[in-house]
């Protein structure tokens, strides 16, 4: 029997739910915003049908609807206690990201407020915020808010996403389905506000963070073709951690209703993709530098881009700090001292006490710093009712008291613990005087503290008021290897925060380093931070969202499934699965056949360790090549030695190795080298492609040689670099298919050298040869799985019009896997390909056929099967 709680959940996901606060049902809903004249019926909460997007829109200007848990606003009760006054929160990322969006793009915000608004005032507040700020507030009933934010978000998702499993016997840490239901309901309430303002034809929707991970399902269920992106600002845990979540599949499937999903680092994206693979059986692909996840015919883009800071905001706050003389006061207070700085939220994952213990270890192991080094630790107030906060706070206080008692002296405290709300101006002032910033978080999604510190150490731009404006700028960072900004700051000293001794040595190294070295590291970091700011991040995300949504608009879409099993199926109208029966029937009727097959990924699984063909494959190839109606050929990207050895039993198979650079017309024939060229104009095509991958892959670079281009990724993340290298290999083979070059991969490199062949040219040569001998093919089977095979599909599709195939030829161009392709058909995997070939082999005639051609001793066999 299905539990009542789970039945309620299905109701919530379907839109049929009772409001958990009476006032939310009785309160008048805000009317929908309309951008064009016309009538719009009220959207019923119980309506579950999808809105068709077939009608053309009259709106020409795109809008962006940004949905987040909280609006980028500050709220304050008026002094007369009559109403509220609101202002922008200049430090909110949601507000700052507008700098990267087009100037003519209207931006609307949907989210909750940080203050409780009386139900009687909510309509007036809503209208006021919409008119003045283009913000649409979502008012959550108190009981829903408590269970949604303090309950499921902060006690379930937040710890789990930071690798903390509920091992404690405390029942409050265990999964509670009522909290999950509140989470779903809260997402539903956010969805209702989106519906009130959305124009599904033209608006972009950008959803932020783990609070709203099931919102994409609600939106996609109502609007099949809406353009929607999601960005996760927290870590995404490994599959071993995430799979412990009882609602793991519901959340994954909800996220997959987005068009693009963004993460700060490749590690987070890799964990997400691993979860999709392990739990949903989905595999990702890399296409021209972009990661994509195929899901029921839709391609969900995976965006990897760490967020940045707002340089203008930092500059203005620094000016404010100078005007308020805050910097001057702090310099006087800590004169003669070396300042190490920590700025963290009060959270169990920030590793604050580990940092303090490392400071104690440094003072003990390096007595020269006693009386000179000071750790200033600023602790921002906790954002919510997190777990174990009181215990962590007490532990930190005890450590500070003990260290100051042991190492302190009159006029000197080694630990300055600031446990209060600190203004941004005061925080910036501390950044300006700190010799080193320490971040020892044991897990953090991004952490922009190092970025802010680097910008502050650079000083005020175009400053004439600072006496030391022309002095060399320097900074040092000791950062945890478990935070999102770590991969971007290659000049920082990275540490395992759990290793207190190693952290203390890193702190000593940082403040003992020469000024010249500090300056070089600072310059390297500042170049990155200043160019990869928040505007760069949002602009990049929007561009990728536009690209990701374009493909869906060209396909036929329909929604299927119930509750969180809902998904949109999208398929190209002309793309269908290969019918084995129809193909075999055409094969039997044909008199002259050409069969072109890729090897790796087509008849041989890509993940196979032993790459040599199986006995089954050899037997099939031998049967096909022995049929007198077939002229046999093999073309592959592999070397000629391995191919020749593997297919030695198939004596009538011709081989074109390395995409046709080496060519042999039969087992007893001589290897030919296809044309060479001294024209290096292809570099103008290859170099922009390499630059694309270089921009997308941190740590990669391009080396230009006299006759070759080399892309190296030795300093990049090895997993991501390897993935990009494989994709670049396919990409370059595609765009350079008609150029005299060859693309090869090596140890951490991809190299392009002169050559003059491609798979498409090999296919054309086979057809032309058959045509020249009066044996125009009336049956063509062409199967491949990667980008290099697209050249072959293109030649096949145009061969009839070019009169190198029979006018009545049956052509079957087939790709392996459902993906965008120039082929008309697909098979799911190599197993289906092998089964299909076996069906053809069973219908083949392997008896010899001898045709006299003037010389009775000469036997001409009209067979060509091609493995490409």
């Amino acid at each position: 029997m299905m539990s009542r709680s789970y039945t309620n959940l299905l109701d919530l996901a379907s839109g049929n739910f009772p409001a958990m606060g009476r006032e939310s049902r009785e309160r008048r809903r805000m009317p929908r915003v309309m951008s064009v004249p016309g009538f719009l019926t009220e959207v019923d909460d119980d309506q579950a049908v999808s809105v068709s997007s077939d009608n053309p829109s009259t709106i020409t200007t795109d809008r962006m609807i940004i949905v987040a848990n909280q609006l980028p606003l500050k709220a304050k009760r008026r002094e007369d206690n009559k109403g509220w006054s609101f202002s922008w929160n200049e430090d909110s990322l949601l507000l700052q990201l507008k700098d990267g969006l087009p100037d003519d793009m209207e931006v609307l915000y949907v989210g909750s407020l940080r203050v409780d608004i009386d139900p009687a005032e909510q309509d007036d507040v809503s209208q006021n915020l919409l008119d003045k700020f283009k913000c649409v507030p979502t008012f959550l009933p108190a009981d829903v808010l408590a269970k949604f934010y303090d309950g499921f978000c902060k006690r379930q998702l937040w710890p789990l996403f930071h690798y903390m499993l509920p091992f404690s016997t405390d029942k409050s840490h265990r999964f509670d389905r009522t909290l999950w239901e509140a989470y779903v309901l809260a997402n539903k309430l956010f969805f209702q506000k989106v519906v009130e303002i959305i124009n599904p034809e033209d608006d972009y929707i950008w959803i932020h963070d783990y609070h709203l991970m099931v919102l994409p399902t609600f939106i996609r269920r109502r609007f099949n073709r809406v353009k929607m992106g999601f960005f996760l600002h927290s870590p995404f845990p490994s599959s071993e951690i995430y799979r412990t979540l009882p609602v793991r599949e519901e959340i994954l499937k909800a996220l997959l209703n987005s068009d693009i999903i963004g993460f700060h680092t490749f590690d987070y994206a890799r964990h997400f993709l691993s979860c999709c693979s392990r739990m949903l059986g989905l595999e990702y692909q890399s296409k021209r530098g972009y990661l994509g996840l195929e899901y029921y015919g839709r391609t969900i883009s995976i965006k990897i881009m760490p967020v940045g800071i707002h340089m203008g905001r930092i500059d203005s706050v620094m000016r404010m700090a100078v005007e308020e003389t805050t910097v001057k006061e702090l310099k006087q207070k800590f004169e003669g001292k070396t300042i190490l700085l920590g700025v963290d939220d009060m959270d169990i994952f920030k590793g604050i006490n580990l940092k303090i213990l490392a400071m104690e270890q440094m003072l003990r192991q390096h007595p020269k710093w006693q009386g000179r080094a000071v750790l200033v630790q600023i602790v921002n107030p906790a954002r919510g009712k997190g777990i174990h906060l009181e215990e962590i706070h007490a532990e930190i206080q005890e450590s500070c008291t003990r260290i100051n008692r042991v190492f302190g002296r009159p006029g000197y405290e080694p630990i300055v613990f600031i446990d209060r709300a600190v203004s941004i101006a005061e925080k910036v002032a501390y950044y300006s005087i700190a010799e080193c910033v320490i971040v020892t978080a044991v897990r953090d999604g991004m952490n922009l503290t190092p970025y802010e510190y680097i910008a502050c150490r650079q000083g005020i731009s175009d400053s004439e008021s600072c006496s030391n404006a022309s002095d060399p700028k320097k900074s040092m960072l000791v950062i945890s290897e478990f935070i999102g900004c770590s991969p971007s700051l290659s000049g920082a000293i990275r540490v395992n925060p759990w290793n207190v001794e190693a952290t203390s040595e890193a702190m000593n190294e940082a403040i003992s380093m020469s000024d010249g070295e500090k300056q070089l590291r600072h310059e390297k970091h500042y170049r990155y931070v200043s160019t990869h700011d928040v505007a760069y991040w949002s602009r990049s995300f929007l561009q990728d969202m536009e690209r990701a949504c374009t493909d869906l608009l060209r396909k036929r879409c329909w929604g299927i499934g119930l509750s969180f099993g809902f998904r949109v199926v999208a398929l190209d109208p002309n793309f269908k699965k290969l019918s084995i029966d129809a193909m075999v029937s055409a094969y039997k009727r044909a008199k002259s056949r050409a069969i072109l097959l890729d090897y790796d990924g087509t008849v041989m699984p890509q993940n196979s360790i032993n790459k040599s063909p199986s006995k089954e494959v050899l037997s099939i190839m031998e049967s096909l090549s022995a049929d007198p109606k077939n002229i046999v050929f093999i073309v592959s990207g592999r070397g000629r030695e391995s191919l020749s050895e593997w297919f030695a039993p198939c004596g009538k198979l011709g081989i074109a190795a390395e995409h046709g650079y080496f060519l042999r017309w039969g087992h007893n024939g001589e290897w030919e080298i296809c044309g060479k060229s001294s024209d290096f104009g292809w570099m103008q095509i290859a170099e922009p492609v390499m630059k694309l991958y270089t921009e997308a892959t941190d740590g990669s670079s391009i080396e230009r040689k006299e006759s070759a281009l080399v892309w190296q990724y030795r300093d990049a993340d090895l997993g991501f670099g390897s993935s990009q290298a494989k994709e670049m290999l396919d990409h370059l083979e595609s765009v350079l298919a008609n150029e005299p070059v060859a693309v090869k991969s090596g140890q951490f490199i991809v190299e392009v050298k002169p050559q003059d062949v491609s798979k498409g040219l090999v296919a054309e040569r086979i057809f032309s040869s058959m045509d020249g001998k009066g044996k125009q093919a009336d049956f063509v089977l062409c199967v491949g799985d990667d980008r290099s095979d697209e050249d072959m599909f293109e030649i096949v599709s145009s061969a009839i019009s070019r009169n190198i195939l029979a006018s009545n030829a049956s052509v079957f161009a087939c790709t392996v896997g459902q993906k965008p392709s120039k082929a008309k058909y697909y098979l799911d995997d190599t197993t289906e390909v092998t089964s299909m070939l076996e069906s053809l082999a069973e219908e083949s005639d392997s008896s010899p056929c001898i045709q006299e051609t003037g010389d009775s001793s000469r036997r001409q066999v009209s067979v060509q099967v091609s493995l490409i």
Side-chain angles (χ1 to χ4, degrees), residues 275-445:
C275 289
C276 290
S277 175
R278 290 184 176 219
M279 299 168 204
L280 302 180
L282 304 177
E283 297 297 335
Y284 75 92
Q285 294 178 343
S286 181
K287 179 182 179 183
R288 300 195 175 184
Y290 298 100
L291 295 177
L293 197 63
E294 295 295 324
Y295 187 58
Y296 289 94
R298 294 172 53 239
T299 301
I300 294 92
S301 292
I302 305 299
K303 176 70 172 176
I304 302 168
M305 177 63 70
V307 71
I309 60 174
H310 194 286
M311 299 297 293
R313 174 61 174 164
I314 295 294
D315 193 74
S316 64
V317 174
M318 289 181 65
R319 295 179 186 275
M320 183 192 312
V322 170
E323 293 172 359
E324 295 176 357
T325 69
T326 308
V327 176
K328 183 177 180 180
E329 293 172 0
L330 290 178
K331 285 183 177 179
Q332 293 175 349
K333 178 179 179 180
F334 294 102
E335 185 177 3
K337 302 294 190 297
T338 298
I339 304 301
L340 297 93
L341 178 65
V343 180
D344 302 278
D345 295 337
M346 177 52 69
D347 190 286
I348 61 173
F349 301 108
K350 301 304 181 184
I352 299 174
N353 200 50
L354 294 173
K355 183 190 312 178
I356 294 172
L357 294 177
M359 179 67 178
E360 178 184 25
Q361 181 73 7
M362 188 188 77
L363 295 176
R364 196 182 307 277
Q365 294 296 323
H366 302 278
K368 65 179 181 179
W369 293 115
Q370 295 180 18
R372 295 170 54 198
V374 176
L375 172 62
V376 178
Q377 177 61 56
I378 299 174
V379 177
N380 303 319
R383 299 183 184 180
K385 297 178 182 179
I387 59 178
H388 303 307
L389 291 184
E390 294 181 359
E391 297 92 322
I392 292 294
H393 188 272
E395 185 180 7
I396 293 171
Q397 288 279 24
E398 188 278 329
S399 297
C400 292
T401 302
R402 186 189 72 254
I403 295 170
N404 286 336
R405 183 176 63 250
V406 174
F407 296 99
R409 63 187 68 168
Y412 170 70
E413 279 190 340
I415 307 291
V416 177
F417 184 59
I418 303 177
D419 185 18
R420 57 175 172 82
V422 175
S423 69
I424 186 170
E426 183 180 358
K427 189 186 302 181
V428 163
Y430 274 107
Y431 284 143
S432 300
I433 68 167
E435 192 73 15
C436 178
V437 155
I438 318 294
V439 181
T440 54
V442 296
R443 191 71 61 176
D444 209 348

Side-chain angles (χ1 to χ4, degrees), residues 134-340:
K134 295 184 179 178
C135 291
V136 180
T138 302
F139 300 107
L140 301 178
D143 55 343
V144 175
L145 178 61
K147 292 181 178 180
F148 157 67
Y149 185 73
D150 294 325
F152 195 75
C153 288
K154 284 299 181 182
R155 291 186 174 270
Q156 300 287 339
L157 291 180
W158 180 258
L160 186 76
F161 278 32
H162 288 73
Y163 287 71
M164 183 177 180
L165 293 174
F167 289 131
S168 172
T169 56
D170 186 350
K171 293 183 179 180
S172 64
H173 299 161
R174 297 179 184 175
F175 179 81
D176 185 341
R177 189 162 292 276
T178 61
L179 301 183
W180 162 244
E181 291 179 1
Y183 180 84
V184 173
L185 175 57
N187 277 248
K188 178 69 177 182
L189 296 176
F190 279 91
F191 160 70
Q192 289 178 341
K193 293 301 180 181
V194 172
V195 170
E196 290 178 357
I197 61 173
I198 190 175
N199 184 330
E201 296 295 333
D202 298 275
D203 292 348
Y204 288 90
I205 301 177
W206 190 355
I207 304 170
H208 289 264
D209 223 1
Y210 65 98
H211 314 90
L212 302 173
M213 288 195 294
V214 299
L215 179 58
T217 285
F218 290 118
I219 296 176
R220 184 69 67 189
R221 193 169 191 272
R222 185 65 62 86
F223 309 108
N224 283 352
R225 292 181 181 269
V226 71
K227 295 170 283 189
M228 179 166 50
F230 180 93
F231 197 94
L232 182 67
H233 293 273
S234 76
F236 196 93
S238 70
S239 60
E240 294 302 314
I241 299 292
Y242 180 79
R243 67 197 303 182
T244 64
L245 184 64
V247 290
R248 60 191 188 182
E249 291 188 8
E250 289 89 333
I251 290 177
L252 284 181
K253 291 177 180 179
L255 289 175
L256 291 175
N257 277 312
S258 305
D259 294 298
I260 180 172
I261 305 172
F263 301 91
H264 285 307
T265 72
F266 175 66
D267 276 346
Y268 304 160
R270 178 167 54 84
H271 293 158
F272 172 77
L273 294 171
S274 176
C275 289
C276 290
S277 175
R278 290 184 176 219
M279 299 168 204
L280 302 180
L282 304 177
E283 297 297 335
Y284 75 92
Q285 294 178 343
S286 181
K287 179 182 179 183
R288 300 195 175 184
Y290 298 100
L291 295 177
L293 197 63
E294 295 295 324
Y295 187 58
Y296 289 94
R298 294 172 53 239
T299 301
I300 294 92
S301 292
I302 305 299
K303 176 70 172 176
I304 302 168
M305 177 63 70
V307 71
I309 60 174
H310 194 286
M311 299 297 293
R313 174 61 174 164
I314 295 294
D315 193 74
S316 64
V317 174
M318 289 181 65
R319 295 179 186 275
M320 183 192 312
V322 170
E323 293 172 359
E324 295 176 357
T325 69
T326 308
V327 176
K328 183 177 180 180
E329 293 172 0
L330 290 178
K331 285 183 177 179
Q332 293 175 349
K333 178 179 179 180
F334 294 102
E335 185 177 3
K337 302 294 190 297
T338 298
I339 304 301
L340 297 93

